[in-house]
Amino acid sequence: MRQIRTRVPSDSREAVTTALTDADIDYLLSEEASGRDAVIVEIPVPGGGVDPILELLYEAGLDEDAYTVISDVETAGSTTQAVADLEERYVAGPKGESGVSYPEIKERAADLEPGRATYVAFAALAAIVAVAGLLLDSAIVIVGAMVIAPFAGSSLSAAVGAVIDDRGMVIDSVGSQLLGLVVAYIGAVAMSLVLRETFFVPAALAITRVQQVGTFLTPSLLAVVVALAAGAAGALALATDLPVSIAGVAVAAAIVPSAATAGIGTVWGEPLVVAGALALLFMNVVFINVSAYVALVALGYRDSVTRSVRENLTISVRTGAYALLVLGFVVSVIVVSAATASYVGFEGAANREVQTTIDEPAYDSVELVDVSTSYSARELLGGDASVTVTLSRTTGNEYPELARTLQERISAATDRPVTVQLRFLDYESAVEPTG
């Protein structure tokens, strides 16, 4: 909540109060104590209503240079029904009409990012906790790493800077994101090395078999959805009075585990794990930035991107550098999108063929538990993709031809060589004896 406190000259008093009354806006009127021929008007409003209500006052005759203070308040929204109605009116409307002001959205994005030393420390600590969670196969610990991760501000600031034409903010955001990712990776490598060398985790551990680690080995459709939703949610929270902290956890969910997985793969000497995790990390960062920008544009924070670029375009070394930066980003988006689409198509085809095969009568005694696909940079260039199928069974039946059958069907459906591995989970049931 905000409170607008402004000095209104007596000759504008009636027009201002009439405008506020007609708009069903609560206000408090008091005499100006200094003896000037004026009154003080105080208006409690939600953050998204500051600009529209100021515009209403200016149209009613208030001078735009009039003494005006806007401050935070805590309780007004719960004490008056009129303010509650304003909150519904201004908190989340379209096209910027009820979003927070440009200066305020910039300030909110900047406030999300701590000081540089604190940012670096929290990035490293988040990666350390994430490594512990991944190797312990503990989702709860991984969530803890997301909570302390500081990436929300740096990830959303680039989108905010782009929509308000603040080039410095964009550059700072990109630099902070790169710094945070490098620090997180180094922190993950350091933590993984300590755990491995002190034998807290066996050096012979097959890290790709750890369920939580396996989740972040390669891009996937769900990972894309998480990144897109995280960026859009963060932008929406910035543009309204909603808390950004929850969206920050979603942003961290798309970043921290991938960086930690890359660090683990480095220490365990698994280059394909590193490549896959870094590809997922890069994909998530790109989609978070893009979705946040698109969400802010959709909320009306820039009427025309192309018009703004055209009006401000000048030929200079700086413009050339910005053009190269934008070109690099666009190329990155295209490459990541193409790679993601390729993987998603492969994943869908593999899942479909596995499900169709297991549904056949010959395999009635097994149940499908999981299908895990590995599809990294090597596979994009034509190498074998890997599919791991986990099945449960309550009998001792063997299926010696099932792996080959799945391999042939998936390879035919995806038009690429595939390696299929089968894992069986055996269950025994104890039956109460009769008689």
Side-chain angles (χ1 to χ4, degrees):
M1 290 298 298
R2 308 288 184 269
Q3 177 171 273
I4 300 174
R5 183 180 175 88
T6 184
R7 180 191 292 127
V8 179
S10 295
D11 55 0
S12 301
R13 171 176 175 171
E14 183 176 354
V16 166
T17 56
T18 299
L20 292 173
T21 301
D22 291 344
D24 291 328
I25 297 174
D26 251 2
Y27 63 91
L28 176 66
L29 199 64
S30 59
E31 295 297 329
E32 215 277 339
S34 65
R36 293 187 177 93
D37 190 19
V39 294
I40 299 297
V41 177
E42 298 180 37
I43 312 166
V45 297
V50 172
D51 278 359
I53 291 176
L54 284 177
E55 188 64 31
L56 176 69
L57 297 178
Y58 298 149
E59 291 176 356
L62 180 66
D63 191 337
E64 294 189 17
D65 295 328
Y67 172 83
T68 303
V69 175
I70 301 171
S71 57
D72 290 330
V73 296
E74 299 296 334
T75 60
S78 61
T79 58
T80 67
Q81 182 60 41
V83 173
D85 294 340
L86 282 181
E87 200 163 37
E88 292 184 5
R89 190 190 314 175
Y90 289 119
V91 137
K95 298 299 180 186
E97 294 176 1
S98 57
V100 299
S101 63
Y102 278 42
E104 186 171 354
I105 195 174
K106 177 180 179 180
E107 182 180 352
R108 296 191 71 185
D111 288 345
L112 286 175
E113 187 173 349
R116 186 52 54 91
T118 304
Y119 177 76
V120 169
F122 271 89
L125 290 172
I128 289 171
V129 174
V131 167
L134 289 169
L135 294 179
L136 287 172
D137 203 14
S138 172
I140 294 176
V141 177
I142 298 174
V143 171
M146 299 171 189
V147 172
I148 65 175
F151 297 113
S154 59
S155 299
L156 297 174
S157 293
V160 173
V163 298
I164 65 175
D165 289 323
D166 190 327
R167 296 176 181 176
M169 192 173 187
V170 174
I171 294 172
D172 288 344
S173 173
V174 172
S176 293
Q177 289 184 70
L178 292 176
L179 175 63
L181 296 178
V182 170
V183 169
Y185 172 72
I186 293 174
V189 169
M191 180 63 173
S192 301
L193 189 61
V194 168
L195 293 176
R196 188 172 185 268
E197 295 302 316
T198 57
F199 300 101
F200 280 101
V201 177
L205 176 69
I207 57 173
T208 56
R209 301 299 184 190
V210 179
Q211 182 178 358
Q212 293 296 335
V213 175
T215 304
F216 303 99
L217 291 180
T218 50
S220 66
L221 177 60
L222 292 180
V224 172
V225 172
V226 170
L228 292 174
L236 181 61
L238 280 176
T240 64
D241 281 342
L242 302 176
V244 188
S245 55
I246 297 177
V249 175
V251 169
I255 295 176
V256 176
S258 303
T261 301
I264 293 172
T266 301
V267 172
W268 260 263
E270 296 281 356
L272 291 181
V273 171
V274 177
L278 289 179
L280 175 60
L281 176 63
F282 183 64
M283 179 200 75
N284 286 342
V285 170
V286 169
F287 280 120
I288 287 171
N289 281 269
V290 170
S291 65
Y293 176 82
V294 171
L296 288 174
V297 171
L299 289 170
Y301 280 89
R302 171 175 288 185
D303 292 332
S304 173
V305 177
T306 55
R307 184 179 65 221
S308 176
V309 170
R310 185 171 62 250
E311 290 175 352
N312 294 283
L313 182 63
T314 57
I315 304 301
S316 67
V317 175
R318 176 178 293 182
T319 302
Y322 286 137
L324 289 176
L325 181 63
V326 171
L327 178 63
F329 185 77
V330 171
V331 170
S332 299
V333 171
I334 294 173
V335 171
V336 169
S337 300
T340 301
S342 178
Y343 175 79
V344 169
F346 173 82
E347 184 181 40
N351 288 336
R352 183 173 58 253
E353 294 303 319
V354 171
Q355 185 66 63
T356 301
T357 302
I358 299 303
D359 285 342
E360 294 177 359
Y363 306 108
D364 284 345
S365 60
V366 299
E367 292 184 354
L368 182 61
V369 176
D370 181 55
V371 180
S372 175
T373 56
S374 174
Y375 192 76
S376 59
R378 185 181 68 178
E379 286 79 47
L380 287 174
L381 299 177
D384 288 6
S386 176
V387 178
T388 301
V389 180
T390 304
L391 304 169
S392 67
R393 61 185 176 186
T394 56
T395 66
N397 293 349
E398 299 291 338
Y399 301 93
E401 296 300 320
L402 179 55
R404 181 172 296 277
T405 299
L406 290 173
Q407 180 188 36
E408 292 174 353
R409 292 184 179 183
I410 295 173
S411 181
T414 60
D415 195 26
R416 67 173 53 251
V418 176
T419 299
V420 174
Q421 296 177 324
L422 289 183
R423 297 173 59 194
F424 286 98
L425 303 177
D426 293 319
Y427 296 92
E428 292 185 4
S429 301
V431 181
E432 185 72 23
T434 59

